[in-house]
Amino acid sequence: MNDSYKNPGALSLSTAALQLLEESGEVDSILLLHDSPQLLGSHVKCDLRMEEESISAQHARFTLDEHGDWWVEDLGSTNGTWVGGESLSTPFRLEAGQEFELGVVKVRFQLRSEDSGKRPETPVVEPTLIELPEAIRTMDWDDPE
C-alpha cells in the first residue's frame, strides 16, 4: 500500500473543499481544506467540526501528501466513512468530484483547480499579511498609558 498519505504535506490555502450535499444533490454547505492533516468530527477541538448525529467525535482525517493528493482516513468512527457503498478500512485517495459519505452525510470532494472560473456565490477571503506601522510594532502593550 502507498504510505504517501501519512506525509503531512505543506501548508496550503484552500486547495480543496468538502461540499456537504442535500438529498437532492444540491450543495448545502462547504468546508475548506487548508492545512494538512485536518481532523473532522463533532468534537469542539476538531479542525472541521460537524454537529450531526452520525458524525463521531473524531470521525475522519484528511491529509495532503507530497504529490498534492488528498486522502481520507476513517478513525474508527461509529457510523463509518463510505466510498461507493464500501466502508473504508484504510486511507483512500480522493479524486476531484468524488462523492462519499461520512456517516449519513453525503459529501463531494472538489479541488480548487477545478473551479470553473465563475465567481462563487459566497466569496472566500484568503488571509493577508500586512506590515504594521512602526509606532504600533514598538508600542509597549503591557503599559496602560
Side-chain angles (χ1 to χ4, degrees):
M1 181 175 78
N2 181 345
D3 284 341
S4 61
Y5 72 90
K6 293 181 182 175
N7 185 317
L11 173 68
S12 61
L13 295 177
S14 309
T15 62
L18 303 177
Q19 297 176 331
L20 308 183
L21 306 176
E22 297 176 353
E23 283 189 37
S24 66
E26 293 294 315
V27 177
D28 177 61
S29 56
I30 296 173
L31 299 174
L32 296 178
L33 295 173
H34 293 281
D35 297 336
S36 173
Q38 286 200 284
L39 185 64
L40 180 142
S42 60
H43 193 276
V44 69
K45 292 192 176 186
C46 285
D47 304 303
L48 303 167
R49 189 161 179 230
M50 290 180 63
E51 292 185 33
E52 209 291 326
E53 224 173 83
S54 69
I55 300 296
S56 295
Q58 293 186 1
H59 195 100
R61 179 180 9 245
F62 293 86
T63 307
L64 178 65
D65 71 15
E66 68 272 11
H67 305 291
D69 293 325
W70 280 95
W71 296 77
V72 61
E73 176 183 9
D74 187 83
L75 299 176
S77 65
T78 302
N79 294 302
T81 301
W82 303 79
V83 178
E86 304 265 333
S87 179
L88 291 185
S89 57
T90 61
F92 181 85
R93 186 172 59 85
L94 294 166
E95 299 283 340
Q98 178 92 49
E99 292 190 9
F100 60 100
E101 290 84 34
L102 297 166
V104 298
V105 178
K106 292 181 191 259
V107 180
R108 181 183 304 123
F109 174 76
Q110 288 294 349
L111 292 173
R112 184 174 187 165
S113 62
E114 295 297 310
D115 289 350
S116 64
K118 295 180 188 172
R119 194 178 177 100
E121 291 178 28
T122 305
V124 176
V125 178
E126 299 291 354
T128 303
L129 295 176
I130 59 170
E131 181 74 25
L132 294 175
E134 185 175 347
I136 293 175
R137 287 193 318 257
T138 59
M139 186 180 288
D140 183 1
W141 292 95
D142 293 326
D143 185 10
E145 294 187 31

